[in-house]
PDB file of all heavy atoms in Angstrom:
ATOM      1  N   PRO A  10       3.735 -11.143 -11.971  1.00 97.00           N
ATOM      2  CA  PRO A  10       4.671 -11.653 -10.933  1.00 97.00           C
ATOM      3  C   PRO A  10       4.001 -11.486  -9.594  1.00 97.00           C
ATOM      4  O   PRO A  10       3.015 -10.695  -9.450  1.00 97.00           O
ATOM      5  CB  PRO A  10       5.865 -10.703 -11.056  1.00 97.00           C
ATOM      6  CG  PRO A  10       5.745  -9.947 -12.307  1.00 97.00           C
ATOM      7  CD  PRO A  10       4.276  -9.931 -12.639  1.00 97.00           C
ATOM      8  N   ILE A  11       4.402 -12.230  -8.573  1.00 97.00           N
ATOM      9  CA  ILE A  11       3.978 -12.013  -7.246  1.00 97.00           C
ATOM     10  C   ILE A  11       4.865 -11.022  -6.638  1.00 97.00           C
ATOM     11  O   ILE A  11       6.099 -11.085  -6.729  1.00 97.00           O
ATOM     12  CB  ILE A  11       3.824 -13.236  -6.500  1.00 97.00           C
ATOM     13  CG1 ILE A  11       5.038 -14.119  -6.502  1.00 97.00           C
ATOM     14  CG2 ILE A  11       2.575 -14.017  -6.951  1.00 97.00           C
ATOM     15  CD1 ILE A  11       4.993 -15.339  -5.582  1.00 97.00           C
ATOM     16  N   TYR A  13       6.893  -8.429  -3.993  1.00 93.00           N
ATOM     17  CA  TYR A  13       7.490  -8.484  -2.635  1.00 93.00           C
ATOM     18  C   TYR A  13       6.779  -7.488  -1.728  1.00 93.00           C
ATOM     19  O   TYR A  13       6.679  -6.275  -2.064  1.00 93.00           O
ATOM     20  CB  TYR A  13       8.939  -8.024  -2.773  1.00 93.00           C
ATOM     21  CG  TYR A  13       9.902  -8.926  -3.429  1.00 93.00           C
ATOM     22  CD1 TYR A  13      10.718  -8.452  -4.449  1.00 93.00           C
ATOM     23  CD2 TYR A  13      10.056 -10.251  -3.050  1.00 93.00           C
ATOM     24  CE1 TYR A  13      11.631  -9.339  -5.054  1.00 93.00           C
ATOM     25  CE2 TYR A  13      10.915 -11.106  -3.684  1.00 93.00           C
ATOM     26  CZ  TYR A  13      11.716 -10.631  -4.716  1.00 93.00           C
ATOM     27  OH  TYR A  13      12.586 -11.462  -5.366  1.00 93.00           O
ATOM     28  N   HIS A  19       4.849   1.131  -5.817  1.00 88.00           N
ATOM     29  CA  HIS A  19       4.834   2.400  -6.574  1.00 88.00           C
ATOM     30  C   HIS A  19       4.199   2.198  -7.944  1.00 88.00           C
ATOM     31  O   HIS A  19       3.801   1.097  -8.326  1.00 88.00           O
ATOM     32  CB  HIS A  19       6.230   3.034  -6.680  1.00 88.00           C
ATOM     33  CG  HIS A  19       7.320   2.098  -7.356  1.00 88.00           C
ATOM     34  ND1 HIS A  19       7.168   1.657  -8.600  1.00 88.00           N
ATOM     35  CD2 HIS A  19       8.441   1.621  -6.856  1.00 88.00           C
ATOM     36  CE1 HIS A  19       8.243   0.961  -8.917  1.00 88.00           C
ATOM     37  NE2 HIS A  19       8.986   0.873  -7.847  1.00 88.00           N
ATOM     38  N   GLY A  21       5.224   1.971 -10.869  1.00 89.00           N
ATOM     39  CA  GLY A  21       5.872   0.968 -11.726  1.00 89.00           C
ATOM     40  C   GLY A  21       5.302  -0.407 -11.537  1.00 89.00           C
ATOM     41  O   GLY A  21       5.187  -1.193 -12.431  1.00 89.00           O
ATOM     42  N   ASP A  50       4.901 -12.318  -2.716  1.00 97.00           N
ATOM     43  CA  ASP A  50       6.045 -13.175  -2.584  1.00 97.00           C
ATOM     44  C   ASP A  50       6.740 -12.840  -1.289  1.00 97.00           C
ATOM     45  O   ASP A  50       7.487 -11.977  -1.157  1.00 97.00           O
ATOM     46  CB  ASP A  50       7.041 -12.781  -3.771  1.00 97.00           C
ATOM     47  CG  ASP A  50       8.257 -13.663  -3.858  1.00 97.00           C
ATOM     48  OD1 ASP A  50       8.443 -14.488  -3.047  1.00 97.00           O
ATOM     49  OD2 ASP A  50       9.070 -13.413  -4.817  1.00 97.00           O
ATOM     50  N   GLY A 259       8.383  -8.046 -15.658  1.00 95.00           N
ATOM     51  CA  GLY A 259       9.301  -6.968 -15.990  1.00 95.00           C
ATOM     52  C   GLY A 259      10.580  -7.598 -16.510  1.00 95.00           C
ATOM     53  O   GLY A 259      10.960  -8.756 -16.199  1.00 95.00           O
ATOM     54  N   GLU A 261      13.687  -7.391 -15.882  1.00 93.00           N
ATOM     55  CA  GLU A 261      14.725  -7.832 -15.096  1.00 93.00           C
ATOM     56  C   GLU A 261      14.529  -9.249 -14.506  1.00 93.00           C
ATOM     57  O   GLU A 261      15.453  -9.887 -13.993  1.00 93.00           O
ATOM     58  CB  GLU A 261      15.071  -6.796 -13.960  1.00 93.00           C
ATOM     59  CG  GLU A 261      14.183  -6.867 -12.692  1.00 93.00           C
ATOM     60  CD  GLU A 261      12.745  -6.435 -12.893  1.00 93.00           C
ATOM     61  OE1 GLU A 261      12.353  -6.187 -13.986  1.00 93.00           O
ATOM     62  OE2 GLU A 261      12.041  -6.315 -11.895  1.00 93.00           O
ATOM     63  N   LEU A 291       9.043   1.398 -16.251  1.00 91.00           N
ATOM     64  CA  LEU A 291       8.558   2.763 -16.158  1.00 91.00           C
ATOM     65  C   LEU A 291       9.569   3.483 -15.317  1.00 91.00           C
ATOM     66  O   LEU A 291       9.799   3.135 -14.151  1.00 91.00           O
ATOM     67  CB  LEU A 291       7.173   2.730 -15.442  1.00 91.00           C
ATOM     68  CG  LEU A 291       6.391   3.949 -15.428  1.00 91.00           C
ATOM     69  CD1 LEU A 291       5.982   4.345 -16.888  1.00 91.00           C
ATOM     70  CD2 LEU A 291       5.062   3.671 -14.718  1.00 91.00           C
TER      71      LEU A 291
HETATM   72  N1  MSP B   1       8.790 -11.191  -6.249  1.00 84.48           N
HETATM   73  C1  MSP B   1       9.451 -11.045  -7.508  1.00 84.48           C
HETATM   74  C2  MSP B   1       8.634 -11.761  -8.604  1.00 84.48           C
HETATM   75  C3  MSP B   1       8.429 -13.211  -8.354  1.00 84.48           C
HETATM   76  S1  MSP B   1       7.451 -13.911  -9.624  1.00 84.48           S
HETATM   77  C4  MSP B   1       7.569 -15.487  -9.386  1.00 84.48           C
HETATM   78  C5  MSP B   1       9.552  -9.551  -7.886  1.00 84.48           C
HETATM   79  N2  MSP B   1       8.738  -8.782  -7.141  1.00 84.48           N
HETATM   80  S2  MSP B   1       8.754  -7.109  -7.377  1.00 84.48           S
HETATM   81  O1  MSP B   1       7.802  -6.658  -6.450  1.00 84.48           O
HETATM   82  O2  MSP B   1      10.083  -6.606  -7.116  1.00 84.48           O
HETATM   83  O3  MSP B   1       8.349  -6.771  -8.723  1.00 84.48           O
HETATM   84  C6  MSP B   1       7.187  -7.148  -9.351  1.00 84.48           C
HETATM   85  C7  MSP B   1       6.994  -6.678 -10.736  1.00 84.48           C
HETATM   86  O4  MSP B   1       6.889  -5.271 -10.779  1.00 84.48           O
HETATM   87  C8  MSP B   1       8.132  -7.117 -11.705  1.00 84.48           C
HETATM   88  O5  MSP B   1       7.637  -7.596 -12.891  1.00 84.48           O
HETATM   89  C9  MSP B   1       8.871  -5.804 -11.847  1.00 84.48           C
HETATM   90  O6  MSP B   1       9.486  -5.758 -13.183  1.00 84.48           O
HETATM   91  C10 MSP B   1       7.690  -4.834 -11.866  1.00 84.48           C
HETATM   92  N3  MSP B   1       8.210  -3.490 -11.652  1.00 84.48           N
HETATM   93  C11 MSP B   1       8.740  -2.955 -10.535  1.00 84.48           C
HETATM   94  N4  MSP B   1       9.093  -1.761 -10.818  1.00 84.48           N
HETATM   95  C12 MSP B   1       8.826  -1.341 -12.081  1.00 84.48           C
HETATM   96  C13 MSP B   1       8.899  -0.175 -12.886  1.00 84.48           C
HETATM   97  N5  MSP B   1       9.392   0.926 -12.436  1.00 84.48           N
HETATM   98  N6  MSP B   1       8.377  -0.337 -14.116  1.00 84.48           N
HETATM   99  C14 MSP B   1       7.782  -1.422 -14.604  1.00 84.48           C
HETATM  100  N7  MSP B   1       7.709  -2.528 -13.885  1.00 84.48           N
HETATM  101  C15 MSP B   1       8.237  -2.560 -12.650  1.00 84.48           C
HETATM  102  O7  MSP B   1      10.293  -9.169  -8.766  1.00 84.48           O
END
Side-chain angles (χ1 to χ4, degrees):
I11 48 174
Y13 289 129
H19 55 62
D50 184 359
E261 83 287 11
L291 192 60

